[in-house]
Structure formats: C-alpha cells, structure tokens
Amino acid sequence: KQEVTQIPAALSVPEGENLVLNCSFTDSAIYNLQWFRQDPGKGLTSLLLIQSSQREQTSGRLNASLDKSSGRSTLYIAASQPGDSATYLCATGGYKLSFGAGTTVTVRA
Amino acid sequence: GAVVSQHPSRVICKSGTSVKIECRSLDFQATTMFWYRQFPKQSLMLMATSNEGSKATYEQGVEKDKFLINHASLTLSTLTVTSAHPEDSSFYICSANPLSEGDTEAFFGQGTRLTVV
C-alpha cells in the first residue's frame, strides 16, 4: 500500500521568501504525482501534475520535481506572497489517489 | 482545467436522517468518479470508486450500506449518507478524471461539510 508523507506539517515564512515543500512516497511504481492547494473549508485545486516519465513541471512561480528512484517530490514556490497561504497536498496513484497529510503554509506580510 | 461541481457545500442534518451529496462533471464525461473523506487536519482518504452504470467499489472498512453511491449518468455521481450519526460528520470531496484511468489529472469538487447533530 502506498504511503505518502509530507514534511513539515506546517511552515511560516515572511513574504518574499522561497518555499520548499517536501513529499515522499514508499512505492516508486507510480503513474504520476500531483500537487494540490486546499484553502480552509474548500475543495482541492490542482497545481501541477508530473507524469511518471517526467522529472519536473513548472507553472509560473511554481516548480515541482519528481525523483521516483528516491521516492520524493519537491514543490518550490518562488517569492512567496500572503495569498499563497494554504495547505498544500501531494498525491500519487493514477486515478485512485493516495494523499499526504499536507503542509500548511502561512506567508506573513 | 476541467470543472467538477459538488453540492451542497455545507449541510447540517439530524441524527438518523439521510443526506445526499451530488458530484457533477460540468465540461467532460467521467465513467469513473471518486469519493473521499477528510477529517480535520488529516489527509483525504478514498472511500469508494463510483462507476457509471455499475456498482461502486468500496475501500476496505467503508460500509457500503451506509454510504450509498449512484452513478446514473456520465456526468453525475451521488453519495447518500444513510441514517447519519455524529461520527459521520466530516468533509466529503469527490473527484473525476477526464479519462477513465491512467496518467491523467484529477479534478476535485468544492467539497461538502456535513455536520450531524
């Protein structure tokens, strides 16, 4: 059974600092890895999808890397803003996803 | 990206009553949709896979008679929490993929906060 871990559980940074969020998984035979954002009491917004054959994906200030051999993915958010405050979840699986518990980010103005 | 709409966003019901939650794919067809449950400060846990035109597949430990799933069309799946109890209070989220399986991106509904009093 795939186990997904996210460290740290919470992170607080001043505005402008770069964010580094970590995700690890136990089974390297994954279809893809997806990063989501969740605001309090809301659903999930898909941020980035990395296919199993890819090593990274970029969208604006977001960059996600994938290293299947070590079972790790990292989400980088450049020049953080207060609007980036949210919980970030990683998940892997194909169509049935296994989620990490998330990293709750607070960006202080 | 694709849009998945979930209703209601929030519902409060009395113990013993049933609650229906709808999940719709607005701009694509989905032969398969997924229902997740999320407890406060915890991760999402897959409850069941909803299959259009056939029975849902439930994850281990999920009571199929309590959580009834119907996927009557390619754009709509419903989750009914029957005889709800306070321990069923949780955040329920559905997802769908534009393709039935494989290396595709999952899109989620807005979630439903269920409170049973």
Side-chain angles (χ1 to χ4, degrees):
Chain A
K1 180 186 174 186
Q2 179 75 274
E3 292 185 6
V4 182
T5 304
Q6 290 186 250
I7 296 173
L11 187 59
S12 179
V13 299
E15 183 176 4
E17 192 165 303
N18 296 332
L19 288 164
V20 180
L21 308 179
N22 298 301
C23 172
S24 61
F25 45 93
T26 55
D27 186 351
S28 61
I30 62 172
Y31 288 109
N32 58 40
L33 189 135
Q34 201 165 349
W35 283 93
F36 296 90
R37 169 182 173 141
Q38 184 177 31
D39 292 292
K42 304 294 184 182
L44 276 64
T45 300
S46 178
L47 298 175
L48 290 169
L49 170 71
I50 310 176
Q51 304 285 5
S52 57
S53 59
Q54 298 174 324
R55 293 191 65 85
E56 69 175 342
Q57 277 287 346
T58 298
S59 176
R61 294 184 294 111
L62 276 61
N63 173 276
S65 65
L66 174 64
D67 184 346
K68 288 203 307 180
S69 61
S70 66
R72 294 180 186 176
S73 177
T74 303
L75 177 66
Y76 302 90
I77 303 177
S80 61
Q81 304 168 359
D84 294 329
S85 298
T87 297
Y88 293 84
L89 298 162
C90 68
T92 184
Y95 59 97
K96 294 172 67 171
L97 297 175
S98 296
F99 281 85
T103 295
T104 299
V105 172
T106 302
V107 181
R108 308 186 302 273
Chain B
V3 179
V4 175
S5 178
Q6 188 174 338
H7 292 281
S9 59
R10 186 181 297 269
V11 58
I12 301 173
C13 71
K14 292 184 179 180
S15 286
T17 62
S18 296
V19 174
K20 179 183 286 188
I21 303 169
E22 292 187 347
C23 180
R24 295 181 184 271
S25 56
L26 298 187
D27 51 1
F28 65 96
Q29 294 182 330
T31 56
T32 307
M33 293 184 179
F34 306 91
W35 288 96
Y36 294 82
R37 182 174 181 175
Q38 185 179 34
F39 290 104
K41 299 190 182 299
Q42 294 188 26
S43 184
L44 278 73
M45 298 298 295
L46 179 66
M47 297 175 63
T49 302
S50 173
N51 304 299
E52 188 268 335
S54 64
K55 292 182 178 180
T57 304
Y58 291 82
E59 297 299 302
Q60 189 174 8
V62 177
E63 299 177 59
K64 62 180 182 180
D65 293 331
K66 166 165 274 297
F67 300 101
L68 299 179
I69 291 173
N70 183 274
H71 195 151
S73 77
L74 289 172
T75 59
L76 174 65
S77 174
T78 60
L79 169 68
T80 301
V81 183
T82 63
S83 187
H85 291 283
E87 57 265 30
D88 298 325
S89 298
S90 189
F91 194 58
Y92 295 87
I93 312 179
C94 69
S95 76
N97 301 51
L99 295 175
S100 61
E101 59 183 278
D103 289 358
T104 62
E105 188 171 359
F107 294 94
F108 283 76
Q110 306 94 315
T112 297
R113 171 71 61 194
L114 170 63
T115 302
V116 184
V117 298

